[in-house]
Amino acid sequence: MTRAAYHYSFDHEHLLSIEGLSPLDITHILDLADSYAEATRAGIRPDPVLKGKVVVNLFFENSTRTMSSFEIAARRLGADVISMPVAASSVKKGETLIDTAMTLNAMRPDALIVRHSASGGPKLLSRKVDCAVINAGDGTHQHPTQGLLDTLTIRRTKGHIEGLKVVICGDIAHSRVARSTTQALHLMGAEVHLCAPRTLLPSGTETWGAASATTDFDKALKGADIVMMLRLQLERMDGAFLPSRREYFRFFGLTQERLALAKPDATVMHPGPMNRGIEIESAIADGDRSVITEQVEMGVAVREAVLHLLAGGRT
Amino acid sequence: MSLSIYNARLLDPATGLDEVGAIFVDRGKIREVSKGQTKPHADAKVSMDAGSLCLAPGLVDLRVKTGEPGDEQKETLATASRSAVAGGITSFVVMPDTRPVIDDVALVRFIADRAKASAAARIYPAGALTTGLKGEAMAEIGLMSKAGAVAFSNGDLPVANASILKRAMAYAASLGATIISRPDERTLAGSGAMNSGELAGRMGLSGIPVEAEWIGAMRDTALAEATGCTLILDQVSTPRTIAIAQAARGRGAKVFTTAAAHSFFFNERDVGDYLTYCKVNPPFRSEETRLGLIDALKRGEIDAVVSAHDPQPPEEKRLPFGEAAFGAAGLETVLPAMLSLVHDGPLSLLEALAPITCRPADMLGLPQGRLAANTPADLILFDPGKPWLCEREHLRSRSTNSPFDGRRLQGRVLRTFVGGEEVFTHESIA
């Protein structure tokens, strides 16, 4: 008996969306990220696989957290990093996304990390440049590294992903995190339940891989292994999508009593930044069941893995 | 000059004629339609053997936008007309949403004069329904009618205030003027970029719900019924909108509908990876809706099919989907889009031609759009089966934002005549 030779290679030019990745791709990224996370915890400097490479952070939308996370990840791997908050500069002068991309492309970077307020912005850019493009969040479409870091955090916390019941609650309609995380967890075998007020719960979430979509948070929480709360932008709570903040908190805020409906060992997550006292009680956010800071830690590890795979040259 | 085109497959949707014959043209008009005639006319100075190809009336298109005046980099009346005749369109109506807006007599005359001086096709101006298209004050409908405006429209942005629209309709009705209105409740359509639904949700794009069109159509037809105004519901995109119009018509209202040729060809999935050439308003709908539109067309419930030609240069389209301009260049693809419903769909050739020839001509009271003696000799000779690859760099309009780019199509116009003059000859026979 001979065994068939098994060969896997990560075969993607860009990371624009979770859609298009296979469970094997995700496992590969998570394994690599895991080893980076362990190295960092052990105080070991990783191999400078990006030495001599130029990574450009191109953020058309303000974000300190994600931009720093990518910057730290790229530096740890030895890359030269340039961070450009474009929101403040050339776009104001009327330069378009494509013009900016073409200009940067001519400087021959090895990876472009792009955040843009328009869904599909990084995709459009990827058609015009020669280097790897990593989507750091586009409009209400995707935020793939967030989906991956959530998946890694869960895998590390629970030891596995398959069969877990995950409840994601908050502004599903406007959340790129909800889309990416739902798709990633679904691909890895989790059962994802989405929960939001009717006005923030779009139709067709089954095509993202969601097992259910409901407006009843209490019911959704029953037997949950993971409860992930999403940020709700305050302006959406003042009459346009919801009557008031206190009404939202009453039905969708995560309180101690409500959390008791989930499994006794249920873990609480939040992609940040949090509205304490509106979507989540401070005591829970800072409590021992919260892995919110580990999510931030895994963010750097996942971004190291993604940069390694996309900009590190094929091995 | 006199011309005889013989041995042609004559197609006249106005009379249901579909047989071999000949047409004799003299001094700009059709003089004789001879069934069975495979020989040239004895008096003809020029004779043309059609070799059994189809000879039909030139197409009449009720909705074209150009950039003249104000945005000539997008399209001029001349460039649009050259694209039109290459697509078999010999008469078209231009919308008033230009810069400046066509909202007074001088501007209506300007369009008519520029068209006469520069265009290869017949161009009919539509006047603005309200001054500056602002939806606040009625424009000079009567004076613009006298100057040659064939209809009145608020263009892409319907009049939001129902009271102002009702008065404009009542006034237009007293003059016998036709109003073209895009049924669209803007407060609901909002900043939508594509069809509302599962796909828009997954792509993170805001949607344009079908209800926005239904509410617009219900309002507009109710007001047309109340005022007796002749109303054309512009570019309907769902079967239910057509049902709303049919119901009003059943009660005696003078309500007509048009649909864009591309809406029979594409569905929302063609937006694919945020392809902005597929960003149009009304948006490409679901596949079920597209098939429902084809059924309605087959039943004859859509009065006219339009190109909805809306030229947009690359700087308006090479943007993230949500930020890109709406609109598709469509003049050269109306006929092949309709023929696709003959080749792969339920329509006969005559059924495909009626909503792009005699029916729109009748809606505006124009004599052309038919093969009849003493009507303008606006004719097309076409090969319904000729396959071709639509490549935007070969399109003739100044802006080539066509969703058909890269598509294999069937059916090509080989010769186009306006007033008996050959204004287009396909390169394969030139």
Side-chain angles (χ1 to χ4, degrees), chain A residues 19 96-98 116 118-121 123-124 127-128 140-141 179 183 203-204 207-208, chain B residues 197-206 273-275 315 317-323:
Chain A
E19 264 185 283
T96 64
L97 169 62
I98 289 192
H116 199 276
S119 300
K123 172 81 200 178
L124 174 67
R127 290 198 198 110
K128 307 289 174 188
T140 54
H141 176 225
R179 286 163 177 79
Q183 286 174 351
S203 63
T207 66
W208 312 357
Chain B
E198 166 272 307
L199 191 62
R202 187 147 47 90
M203 292 175 75
L205 294 172
S206 51
D273 268 335
Y274 302 93
L275 299 178
E315 61 268 26
K317 284 292 191 182
R318 286 174 60 185
L319 292 169
F321 199 86
E323 296 167 13

Side-chain angles (χ1 to χ4, degrees), chain B residues 60-63 93 150-151 176-180 230-235 249 254-259 301-306 354-368 370:
Chain B
V60 178
D61 184 352
L62 298 181
R63 194 190 220 274
V93 176
V150 292
T178 297
I179 288 180
I180 301 176
T230 303
L231 170 70
I232 298 175
L233 287 178
D234 180 27
Q235 294 183 77
R249 197 133 104 182
K254 287 176 270 181
V255 175
F256 301 90
T257 51
T258 69
E301 291 174 359
I302 298 172
D303 298 290
V305 172
V306 298
I356 48 177
T357 55
C358 57
R359 291 221 297 261
D362 289 343
M363 283 157 75
L364 294 184
L366 301 172
Q368 62 264 37
R370 69 211 77 229

Side-chain angles (χ1 to χ4, degrees), chain A residues 5 14 36 44 87 90 98 111-112 114 125 139 143 153 164 171 185-186 196 201 204 206 210 273 285 288 298 307:
Chain A
H14 310 293
Y36 279 127
I44 300 165
S90 49
I98 289 192
L112 274 177
V114 187
L125 202 139
H143 191 354
T153 306
L164 291 177
D171 183 357
L185 290 174
H186 171 67
L201 192 60
E206 68 281 2
D288 54 4
M298 289 312 120
L307 280 164

Side-chain angles (χ1 to χ4, degrees), chain B residues 213-264:
Chain B
E213 182 170 301
W214 298 341
I215 292 171
M218 287 188 271
R219 179 193 74 156
D220 294 358
T221 53
L223 296 177
E225 223 175 313
T227 56
C229 171
T230 303
L231 170 70
I232 298 175
L233 287 178
D234 180 27
Q235 294 183 77
V236 303
S237 67
T238 79
R240 182 150 152 192
T241 321
I242 295 157
I244 291 166
Q246 290 288 112
R249 197 133 104 182
R251 293 187 296 269
K254 287 176 270 181
V255 175
F256 301 90
T257 51
T258 69
H262 52 229
S263 61
F264 300 104

